[in-house]
Amino acid sequence: MTITVMNHVTLDGVMQGPGRKDEDPRGGFAHGGWAQEGNDEVMGQFMGERMAQGGSLLFGRRTYEDVLSYWNSQPDNPFASMLNSQQKYVASTTLQEPLRWPNSTLLQGDAADAVATLKADQPDGQLTIMGSRSLIHALMTRHLVDEWLLMIHPVVLGSGLRLFDDGVQATRMELVDAITTTTGVIIATYRSASDNRS
């Protein structure tokens, strides 16, 4: 199974609240919705093609609940049916089954252990993580992330939760693809270098 992190980030590495103003105000974050100006046809086409590839999704609890409540409340949302039909795995110690979103499975116990087992059991699958910063950090410590699909926006915020911050494990990556949108967003695909893996 290939595990891919897919996130919007700023030039200074912030990943908090890219989609809308009220998405994630933790810590007094006041820049919610910063990624909206980066949307264009190039981004839309890329995201549509990526979603159409299928595979499963992986979320931490907070991102899972946010995506569920937001996308299913949007009228004429082109992604809702696709998100609802995809298999979703949720790493959480507080949620209980049955989960509210169709095709959702709760991963019990330690998140990294559960994902490692999932990866071993489904060698040909594709698992994409959106948001879920704490979960990403847990998976990094076990060298479980294979690919990083980062939409790097030409903005510096100076505050907010970062994808990579103090304490994350040193990781070498290899650039395998890059697309530049009309708004200056770089959609970069990196693979974790083989010498990072245990």
Side-chain angles (χ1 to χ4, degrees), residues 10-198:
T10 65
L11 286 178
D12 55 340
V14 174
M15 63 174 285
Q16 184 173 2
R20 60 188 191 281
K21 191 167 187 63
D22 63 347
E23 182 177 359
D24 185 359
R26 286 178 293 172
F29 185 67
H31 304 294
W34 54 264
Q36 289 303 309
E37 290 184 17
N39 290 336
D40 70 350
E41 288 186 16
V42 177
M43 176 82 72
Q45 180 177 346
F46 179 88
M47 293 300 290
E49 290 173 356
R50 179 70 191 195
M51 295 291 287
Q53 290 177 9
S56 302
L57 300 173
L58 174 63
F59 299 102
R61 178 201 57 81
R62 191 180 190 290
T63 303
Y64 174 79
E65 292 184 331
D66 181 73
V67 171
L68 169 64
S69 63
Y70 179 75
W71 285 108
N72 281 321
S73 66
Q74 301 306 300
D76 303 319
N77 170 24
F79 296 115
S81 62
M82 199 176 303
L83 285 168
N84 286 331
S85 64
Q86 279 185 289
Q87 174 64 49
K88 291 164 286 293
Y89 296 97
V90 187
S92 173
T93 56
T94 57
L95 292 177
Q96 294 182 347
E97 291 185 314
L99 297 174
R100 294 187 301 132
W101 208 355
N103 303 307
S104 295
T105 301
L106 182 64
L107 298 179
Q108 306 279 355
D110 179 81
D113 286 344
V115 172
T117 299
L118 192 63
K119 186 171 183 175
D121 289 346
Q122 300 181 36
D124 298 324
Q126 172 70 44
L127 190 62
T128 300
I129 309 169
M130 295 188 290
S132 310
R133 176 177 170 269
S134 296
L135 176 58
I136 291 168
H137 289 183
L139 300 183
M140 284 183 69
T141 64
R142 298 277 295 275
H143 307 289
L144 291 170
V145 178
D146 302 295
E147 186 176 72
W148 303 81
L149 201 168
L150 304 179
M151 287 146 283
I152 306 166
H153 292 250
V155 60
V156 174
L157 297 180
S159 65
L161 297 174
R162 287 170 168 77
L163 176 57
F164 306 115
D165 57 9
D166 291 347
V168 299
Q169 189 168 16
T171 303
R172 183 172 300 280
M173 300 182 193
E174 301 166 349
L175 180 67
V176 295
D177 189 40
I179 300 169
T180 303
T181 72
T182 63
T183 60
V185 176
I186 299 172
I187 305 173
T189 303
Y190 298 91
R191 292 216 178 102
S192 296
S194 58
D195 61 0
N196 292 322
R197 298 180 187 146
S198 54

